[in-house]
């Protein structure tokens, strides 16, 4: 069986590709080592055009995840309505190809939640949001961004509580550290609105070395400088795996408290 390395907020562990059992221990705190043996040029550029999601290996999640609900936050001015159900949310835009996989569970006992409706949205590589309904501070008045819905999508979770999106690594914008927004509904009821974050060291590598992100000024806000970034960071940062072929895989387990 092929062994694969999952990086937990900067701490490397080795895990098999076998799916974890449905019930996990309640908590598993990760101490970040803040080390990645990767270069920005190790990854593909140009977006997701050449990537087939179904041909990628199954997402690798922590065997012992933190099945806790992330910090609740508001939808914010960059949210828009009527988001399509789709897996590839990039709409052909450039960037480092990113497979973003989320596993939704019950916070009380870590049982998977099937048919949870999860919506994600984030910026493009330039730090610009899409959508005609989004505030101008989000789109920066960019006509191309306003005309589309790039980097926005919805899916229903499967029997394992999982949903996977194909997207590109988000860019930064003034005053915020890189992040992905998420909204989770079940039976039409909104259960969670939150944000998920990226390891600072990985963002430094991508922004400093990957060709799709060069040419911008250095970002002005890191995780510990972001006023919204939560203190219990281990529960809110993606875990990462560099897949063969240059695709980055990001995974996280989200617990629902109701």
């Amino acid at each position: 069986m092929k062994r694969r390395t999952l990086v937990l907020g900067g701490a490397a562990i080795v895990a098999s590709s076998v799916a974890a059992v449905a019930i996990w221990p309640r908590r598993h705190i990760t101490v970040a080592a803040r080390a990645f043996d990767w270069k920005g040029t190790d990854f593909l550029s140009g977006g997701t055009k050449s990537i087939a999601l179904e041909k990628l290996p199954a997402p690798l999640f922590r065997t012992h995840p933190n099945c806790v609900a992330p910090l609740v936050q508001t939808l914010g001015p960059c949210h828009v309505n009527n988001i399509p159900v789709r897996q590839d949310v990039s709409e052909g835009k450039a960037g480092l190809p990113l497979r973003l996989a989320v596993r939704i569970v019950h916070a009380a006992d870590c049982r998977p939640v099937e048919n949870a409706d999860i919506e994600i949205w984030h910026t493009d590589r330039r730090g610009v949001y899409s959508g005609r309904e989004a505030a101008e501070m989000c789109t920066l008045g960019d006509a191309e961004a306003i005309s589309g819905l790039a980097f926005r999508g919805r899916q229903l979770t499967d029997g394992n509580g999982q949903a996977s999106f194909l997207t590109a690594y988000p860019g930064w914008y003034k005053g915020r550290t890189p992040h992905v927004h998420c909204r989770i509904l079940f039976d039409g009821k909104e259960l969670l609105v939150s944000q998920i974050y990226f390891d600072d060291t990985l963002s430094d590598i991508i922004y400093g070395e990957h060709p799709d992100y060069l040419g911008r000024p250095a970002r002005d806000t890191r995780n510990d400088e972001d006023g919204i970034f939560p203190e219990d960071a281990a529960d809110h940062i993606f875990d990462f795996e560099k897949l063969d072929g240059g695709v980055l895989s990001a995974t996280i387990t989200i617990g629902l408290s109701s």
Side-chain angles (χ1 to χ4, degrees):
M1 178 183 301
K2 182 179 179 181
R3 291 170 67 82
R4 297 158 59 186
T5 300
L6 186 66
V7 181
L8 309 186
I13 65 167
V14 176
S16 74
S17 58
V18 175
V21 296
I23 307 298
W24 301 283
R26 183 65 180 83
R27 297 274 295 174
H28 178 80
I29 302 300
T30 300
V31 178
R34 305 289 175 182
F36 291 85
D37 188 24
W38 302 339
K39 301 187 297 294
T41 51
D42 290 337
F43 297 97
L44 289 174
S45 60
T48 65
K49 300 183 185 69
S50 63
I51 310 301
L53 188 61
E54 64 276 7
K55 293 185 178 180
L56 298 179
L60 190 61
F61 291 88
R62 300 186 194 185
T63 304
H64 304 292
N66 297 335
C67 298
V68 297
L71 182 68
V72 175
Q73 297 174 342
T74 62
L75 284 174
C78 302
H79 182 261
V80 303
N81 298 311
N82 302 315
I83 298 303
V85 176
R86 58 184 178 178
Q87 290 186 307
D88 191 333
V89 303
S90 66
E91 294 191 352
K93 307 300 182 185
L96 185 159
L98 173 68
R99 194 266 306 279
L100 195 159
V102 178
R103 179 171 58 184
I104 309 299
V105 301
H106 295 277
D109 55 16
C110 293
R111 287 181 298 110
V113 179
E114 185 176 4
N115 290 325
D117 185 340
I118 178 167
E119 174 189 352
I120 66 163
W121 65 101
H122 63 80
T123 66
D124 64 14
R125 61 186 174 132
R126 306 170 300 166
V128 177
Y129 287 95
S130 66
R132 193 169 302 279
E133 298 175 40
E136 185 175 1
M137 63 178 287
C138 306
T139 64
L140 303 183
D142 184 90
E144 182 180 356
I146 293 172
S147 66
L149 290 173
F151 305 111
R152 301 179 183 270
R154 294 173 42 240
Q155 283 189 60
L156 294 178
T157 56
D158 62 17
N160 295 315
Q162 297 182 22
S164 291
F165 297 89
L166 194 58
T167 184
Y169 202 91
W172 63 272
Y173 57 94
K174 185 176 177 60
R176 288 302 318 276
T177 195
H179 59 279
V180 172
H181 296 264
C182 70
R183 182 190 190 197
I184 301 172
L185 295 86
F186 189 76
D187 284 341
K189 178 183 178 182
E190 183 181 280
L191 296 184
L192 180 69
V193 176
S194 193
Q195 298 178 23
I196 312 170
Y197 299 88
F198 296 83
D199 190 287
D200 267 331
T201 302
L202 179 59
S203 292
D204 290 342
I205 293 170
I206 302 307
Y207 296 156
E209 300 176 2
H210 191 281
D212 286 345
Y213 299 82
L214 298 178
R216 296 191 68 201
R219 58 187 173 127
D220 67 351
T221 307
R222 301 175 69 81
N223 287 344
D224 60 359
E225 301 166 329
D226 189 296
I228 298 177
F229 189 80
E231 292 183 5
D232 52 340
D235 295 330
H236 298 80
I237 297 178
F238 286 108
D239 300 330
F240 301 98
E241 181 186 7
K242 183 167 67 68
L243 302 179
D244 293 342
V247 174
L248 179 66
S249 179
T251 59
I252 195 165
T253 297
I254 296 176
L256 297 181
S257 57
S258 60

